[in-house]
Amino acid sequence: MWFHLFCIAVGFFAGYLMIHWMPPLTPFDFTRFTTELIFNPLRTFLALTCFFIGFLANAVVIRTVIEGIVFCLRRKRVRWMEWFVCCGGMGSFYWLFQWEVRLTALFFIFSLIYGMISVNLDRSR
């Protein structure tokens, strides 16, 4: 459970930093967006690194939620406390959506797809 709390915290913090370091998207101007990405290489690198780390951390949480749902439907043993913590941790996307909708939607989609890909329904682990 501590690992999942850590993943939730890392995912939220990395998402916040990614949103903070990316160029503004509100009135989207492609020229301005690419210019800021090119002329601020450190911020671009840090934002992309935070995006990568954050979507991997959130994918672990999403994977746990999906596995819990599948195990519950199959009537197998579910670690309920861990599952509730992960479901509650999904609320961190609410706060990220409040700051930047487009980047958070992209962040969530990547996390969801990778979380679904990494689902392991084998109980031997």
Side-chain angles (χ1 to χ4, degrees), residues 12 19 21 23 28-29 31 34 41 49 52 57 72 77 94 107 120:
F12 176 74
I19 289 169
W21 283 330
F28 187 71
D29 181 21
T31 308
T34 56
T49 303
F52 183 71
C72 184
R77 185 175 177 273
Y94 171 78
F107 193 56
N120 183 9

Side-chain angles (χ1 to χ4, degrees), residues 65-94:
V65 170
I66 292 171
E67 286 175 352
I69 291 170
V70 170
F71 288 151
C72 184
L73 292 175
R74 288 185 178 178
R75 301 196 190 280
K76 292 186 179 179
R77 185 175 177 273
V78 178
R79 297 182 187 127
W80 289 106
M81 190 64 168
E82 183 178 280
W83 190 76
F84 283 128
V85 166
C86 290
C87 285
M90 296 298 294
S92 66
F93 282 109
Y94 171 78

Side-chain angles (χ1 to χ4, degrees), residues 23-42:
L25 296 176
T26 308
F28 187 71
D29 181 21
F30 183 73
T31 308
R32 181 175 177 222
F33 181 74
T34 56
T35 304
E36 287 200 28
L37 285 178
I38 292 170
F39 288 129
N40 294 322
L42 181 63

